[in-house]
């Protein structure tokens, strides 16, 4: 995957636009900070999420992190592979380690998110 096409939230989630849906995952920076992820749980398919509403959590040996949606929309898919094997988030955060797919309620919300360059500056601060 070309990470330069992704958008990033201040909550360290990436989002990839796919027409009227988007795939969301945990950034490489975030998974590095968390360390080994030992469990992941996600909300149900067809659940409507407001911007910044919690849709799941990941647990590492260090902490539990709630995941807040960077956009408004309806969950259309959950990556069942990360429920069974949460280490996929550590191994391949921008590929097989994605979390959910959401049908976008307002695609213009994507314009509020950071580019990869902006996100890299954000994580250095």
């Amino acid at each position: 995957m070309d990470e330069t096409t992704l958008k990033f939230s201040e909550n360290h989630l990436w989002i990839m636009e796919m027409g009227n849906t988007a795939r969301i995952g945990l950034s490489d920076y975030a998974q590095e900070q968390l360390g080994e992820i030992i469990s992941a749980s996600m909300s149900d398919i067809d659940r409507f999420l407001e911007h910044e509403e919690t849709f799941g959590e990941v647990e590492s040996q260090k902490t539990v992190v709630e995941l807040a949606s960077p956009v408004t929309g309806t969950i259309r898919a959950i990556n069942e592979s990360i429920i069974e094997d949460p280490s996929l988030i550590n191994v391949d955060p921008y590929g097989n380690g994605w979390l959910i797919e959401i049908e976008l309620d307002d695609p213009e919300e994507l314009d509020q998110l950071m580019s990869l360059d902006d996100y890299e500056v954000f994580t250095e601060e």
Side-chain angles (χ1 to χ4, degrees), residues 13 24 42-43 47 49 53-56 67-69 75 99-100:
L13 294 174
I24 298 172
M42 300 296 133
S43 293
R47 178 169 171 223
L49 297 172
E53 189 174 349
T54 301
F55 66 85
L67 305 166
S69 181
I75 298 174
L99 305 173
I100 64 170

Side-chain angles (χ1 to χ4, degrees), residues 2 4-6 22-23 25 41 43 55 71 76 95 109 119 124:
D2 180 6
T4 61
T5 63
L6 301 177
R23 182 172 281 180
S41 61
S43 293
F55 66 85
V71 292
R76 293 299 179 212
E109 284 181 322
Y119 181 69
E124 289 170 5

